[in-house]
Amino acid sequence: MAALTLNSRLTDLAVLKSRDMRDNNYISHTSPIYGTPQQMLDRFGVSWRAYGEKIVAGQATPEEVMRVWINIPLSHHLPHRNVSLVLLLLQNSS
């Protein structure tokens, strides 16, 4: 198996999705702008055989986010070379 490498295209899409959730105040796999993850990948011309998306919310620290995120099972088999992770921790300013 090939070594894990950064896929900047998927990373850019993950950042776009996280900003979309922040800017449009939602937490969901389905974006009101981009649709489902499949629709988003297709819209931005990303070839794929399988995909998966993990979203967590409500944790207070980056450590909690990672603990929860790592323990969520992926429902789809992903080839390891096509996995991107973007972690965005938003803190409540109030």
Side-chain angles (χ1 to χ4, degrees):
M1 179 183 300
L4 186 63
T5 59
L6 177 67
N7 184 318
S8 60
R9 193 169 192 192
L10 289 178
T11 300
D12 290 346
L13 284 181
V15 170
L16 180 64
K17 173 67 182 267
S18 66
R19 289 179 179 158
D20 176 47
M21 288 192 292
R22 178 197 63 200
D23 296 347
N24 293 294
N25 197 30
Y26 76 95
I27 299 171
S28 174
H29 295 287
T30 303
S31 162
I33 295 172
Y34 302 109
T36 65
Q38 176 183 343
Q39 290 168 323
M40 190 171 186
L41 291 170
D42 291 344
R43 178 178 181 167
F44 288 94
V46 175
S47 297
W48 56 274
R49 284 180 280 167
Y51 68 87
E53 180 178 60
K54 291 184 178 186
I55 299 172
V56 297
Q59 291 70 36
T61 67
E63 293 80 17
E64 273 187 71
V65 169
M66 288 308 299
R67 182 184 49 75
V68 172
W69 190 86
I70 294 255
N71 288 303
I72 297 173
L74 260 175
S75 59
H76 302 283
H77 170 71
L78 297 176
H80 292 290
R81 67 182 185 283
N82 291 327
V83 175
S84 284
L85 162 66
V86 172
L87 182 61
L88 178 65
L89 180 64
L90 300 176
Q91 294 181 333
N92 188 343
S93 59
S94 57

